Amino acid sequence: PAIYCIGLNYKKHAAETNMPEPRFPIFFMKPGSAIVGHGDHIAIPSVCHPEEVDYEAELAIVIGRAAKNVTEEEALSYVAGYTAANDVTARRWQGKKGGGQWCRAKCFDSFLPLGPRLVPAAAIPDPNSLAISSTLNGQVMQQSNTRDMIFPVPKLIAFLSQGTTLLPGTVILTGTPEGVGFARKPPVYLKAGDTVTIAIEGIGELTNSVVAASE
């Protein structure tokens, strides 16, 4: 199954990056090789400059049954559950080295922590009313609510399913709120020895330590 990711989907995040809110969802993809679990390492490879790797707290959707051309009204019935995600991003590859597209910056091994558990959809009747945050070495960096999404969960599922089958097990990352490292003054990036935690109401905490990858 595919891993779809939505960019620039929180109003305050768009504002902090001085970018206009998109008219339609912006999406890119990540490979399965980027996935690690709760408690695993985020390993920064030498090809990523140490001053460029950023964290992004995100709500992740997991599709439970094949979805194609679904309406917004029925979209949530196709969800198996939700979990927390960290859309780790190498910012220099997102811009200068990646040719302006986002995939390469986000596709490195271990750049998609997921966890700590999959919460059944029935336990989260409204995925757009959840507190979401990221903490770096004990300091809160992002603190928001999924209600700030530009395109809510049902709209994302309906949009991605247009003419495309979302297979069971498909993962959809829904975007990150304000507070990312590159937008801070001065910027804050991940480095070996750091610990980053993504917390989402009703799901729990996803915690990973950062190391330098052994090449």
Side-chain angles (χ1 to χ4, degrees):
I3 302 169
Y4 293 94
C5 309
I6 304 299
L8 211 65
N9 194 34
Y10 279 72
K11 298 172 185 176
K12 292 179 182 177
H13 177 51
E16 76 174 346
T17 59
N18 296 312
M19 297 181 70
E21 294 182 12
R23 293 178 57 207
F24 305 100
I26 299 169
F27 87 89
F28 55 93
M29 302 181 80
K30 297 188 92 153
S33 56
I35 294 175
V36 293
H38 171 66
D40 292 337
H41 294 314
I42 296 169
I44 300 177
S46 59
V47 71
C48 295
H49 298 272
E51 70 276 12
E52 72 165 338
V53 179
D54 207 346
Y55 53 85
E56 291 189 5
E58 308 211 10
L59 172 69
I61 307 161
V62 179
I63 297 296
R65 58 192 179 102
K68 182 177 180 180
N69 296 326
V70 304
T71 65
E72 292 182 35
E73 291 72 24
E74 64 183 342
L76 294 185
S77 70
Y78 289 84
V79 177
Y82 303 93
T83 192
N86 188 347
D87 181 18
V88 181
T89 304
R91 296 297 183 193
R92 194 168 306 195
W93 280 94
Q94 190 174 12
K96 296 178 181 178
K97 299 185 72 173
Q101 56 80 29
W102 295 1
C103 290
R104 189 68 186 101
K106 295 167 175 284
C107 285
F108 297 102
D109 290 354
S110 78
F111 273 31
L112 180 51
L114 292 172
R117 61 192 180 117
L118 180 66
V119 177
I124 300 179
D126 183 4
N128 282 106
S129 63
L130 305 175
I132 180 171
S133 67
S134 67
T135 303
L136 179 61
N137 301 326
Q139 179 180 352
V140 175
M141 309 301 285
Q142 296 176 278
Q143 192 163 33
S144 185
N145 193 288
T146 56
R147 71 172 63 96
D148 191 48
M149 286 186 191
I150 297 168
F151 305 105
V153 169
K155 185 176 287 293
L156 293 177
I157 296 171
F159 175 82
L160 292 172
S161 75
Q162 294 176 33
T164 302
T165 301
L166 306 179
L167 296 172
T170 295
V171 176
I172 303 172
L173 272 61
T174 56
T176 195
E178 78 279 7
V180 294
F182 86 91
R184 290 178 168 269
K185 295 181 173 49
V188 176
Y189 293 116
L190 300 177
K191 61 184 184 301
D194 284 347
T195 299
V196 58
T197 296
I198 309 302
I200 300 180
E201 182 181 356
I203 294 174
E205 295 185 348
L206 167 66
T207 298
N208 300 90
S209 57
V210 182
V211 300
S214 56
E215 305 295 332

